[in-house]
Amino acid sequence: MADASKKMGLVGLTTLVAVNMMGSGIIMLPSSMAQLGAVSLLSWVVTAVGSMAIAYGFAQCGIYCPRPGGMSAYSEEAHGKSAFFLCSYLYFLSLVIGNVAIGISAVGYLTPFFPWLGSGAAALVAGTIALIWLTILANLGGPSVTGRLGAVTVWGVIIPVAGLGVIGWFWFDPNLFREAWNPNGLRTSDAIAQSIPLTLWAFLGMESAAQNSDAVEDPKRNVPLACLLGTLGAAVVYVLSTSVIQGIVPNPELANSSAPFALVYAQMFNDSVGNIIMALAVMACLGSLLGWQFTLAQTAKVTAEQGMFPKLFTRVSARNAPLIGLLFCGVLQTLIALSTISPNASAQFTKLVGLAAVTNIIPYITSLTGLLVIMYKAQVEPRIFRRNGVILLVAMLYCFYALYASGLEAVFGAALVMVVGYLLFGAIAKRFVGALDNLGRP
């Protein structure tokens, strides 16, 4: 048995959950939300409640279903082998799309240093593709290099963003905030719905919270608590930082900014401080993109080892880097960047975020619905079953609302991708005939 003193406690795990979610997902959101107005901030409340319910559901799945595979394994518990494939496939694609969005964020913050990047659609997409391939090549150094860099660079976003939520109120102008509240005259319900994909984007990654329950003290107590408290902590930082910025920077300037946090720090202090924030944001984006590139290739590798992706994804270099997987993912991300090309970084970012959110929500639904079967197999107490069932219902309601709020274009695109996934699984299903016949047997 592992030494309990060497395991992670509640405070450490809660911090880890919050840091994993925050990353670089927040740095372009103020500009995207400002296009709708400060009224879009109300969507944080809806998303925070829904995200905490989802995070808690994953924590319960991890406690009662310790088998490897994460969301894919939970999906298989309720929906069979095809659900394992579809969950891995859609999650893989959501990471591909999300990586392009992170690359766009980094280019937005690089533009003041290299004005050419803001000269049009071609320059924006060229910069994004260059950063994608830079981080892929850097990953060839192996997982140890990737892990060390990511652990440091993530704070380049967290410190300025969390700091703004604390000190920014000294510069906050209530009149400016009122002017920014609803410049487009939207109905409150419409503003909330349109900004749900943006706020959900900031919470993507919460599905990783329950993956290390074996390294945690008293996991049945601490994992669910850490999921809830970590998600709540991230929500507080998000709400404070995106609210205060609306009362410092005039809405038209914020809506058209490609580097909103650098802009607000420049207004609060001076251009030099703004440049420092821009440099930190670029560093954080590159570190985040570096880590997600490796995660993406590893996701393909693990799925290939299950016999569901081509075997070439299982090949690794001498440094244990999934070489072929990295190169393939680079090509796929390049195609995504080219297919969503736009002269405006914020517009392209928003479009990608919507598609990434939908392709993530579907695996959330399939995996969380596995909780009922997982609890049945684990023979949990009726009291726990009822409590988790209520929280699961809240999570499902939010997921369905998020799908609706993501819009026809994003949902239609994800539906096409999912149908292709069924076709792909049909082509390989014969490999799992024995597993399909024995599904659910001890």
Side-chain angles (χ1 to χ4, degrees), residues 72 80-90 303 308-309 420-422 424-426 428:
S72 299
K81 185 64 74 173
S82 64
F84 189 108
F85 170 81
L86 282 168
C87 187
S88 297
Y89 164 77
L90 289 172
T303 309
M308 296 186 182
F309 276 13
V420 171
Y422 275 105
L424 293 175
F425 183 77
I428 63 171

Side-chain angles (χ1 to χ4, degrees), residues 21-253:
M21 278 189 295
M22 289 176 69
S24 61
I26 183 69
I27 65 172
M28 281 292 288
L29 287 191
S31 294
S32 299
M33 296 179 76
Q35 293 175 12
L36 298 171
V39 64
S40 63
L41 296 170
L42 295 174
S43 67
W44 283 120
V45 178
V46 179
T47 297
V49 172
S51 295
M52 284 192 287
I54 292 170
Y56 185 86
F58 281 127
Q60 294 298 297
C61 286
I63 289 169
Y64 296 112
C65 181
R67 58 176 285 201
M71 289 195 298
S72 299
Y74 310 150
S75 298
E76 184 179 356
E77 290 291 322
H79 306 288
K81 185 64 74 173
S82 64
F84 189 108
F85 170 81
L86 282 168
C87 187
S88 297
Y89 164 77
L90 289 172
Y91 186 61
F92 172 82
L93 290 179
S94 74
L95 293 184
V96 170
I97 298 164
N99 281 357
V100 178
I102 294 173
I104 290 168
S105 298
V107 171
Y109 276 77
L110 274 171
T111 299
F113 297 114
F114 303 98
W116 174 81
L117 292 172
S119 62
L124 174 61
V125 77
T128 302
I129 291 171
L131 291 182
I132 286 169
W133 282 101
L134 175 66
T135 51
I136 284 174
L137 293 176
N139 260 301
L140 299 182
S144 60
V145 174
T146 299
R148 286 197 297 269
L149 287 174
V152 173
T153 57
V154 68
W155 294 99
V157 160
I158 294 176
I159 291 173
V161 172
L164 180 65
V166 176
I167 67 172
W169 299 101
F170 293 104
W171 287 266
F172 183 80
D173 181 353
N175 292 324
L176 201 61
F177 185 83
R178 278 195 293 269
E179 292 172 4
W181 180 250
N182 195 358
N184 302 316
L186 296 172
R187 290 192 304 174
T188 301
S189 58
D190 290 341
I192 292 174
Q194 290 181 42
S195 51
I196 284 291
L198 297 172
T199 51
L200 176 60
W201 160 259
F203 285 99
L204 296 185
M206 58 189 165
E207 68 277 355
S208 64
Q211 296 302 310
N212 298 310
S213 58
D214 58 338
V216 178
E217 296 174 7
D218 192 6
K220 288 193 175 183
R221 170 186 177 271
N222 288 340
V223 170
L225 276 176
C227 285
L228 290 173
L229 294 175
T231 303
L232 181 61
V236 169
V237 172
Y238 291 153
V239 170
L240 291 178
S241 61
T242 54
S243 296
V244 73
I245 199 172
Q246 295 272 5
I248 300 174
V249 181
N251 184 265
E253 291 182 39

Side-chain angles (χ1 to χ4, degrees), residues 411-435:
V411 173
F412 180 71
L416 285 178
V417 167
M418 186 168 64
V419 169
V420 171
Y422 275 105
L423 175 63
L424 293 175
F425 183 77
I428 63 171
K430 60 182 180 294
R431 303 176 188 174
F432 311 106
V433 170

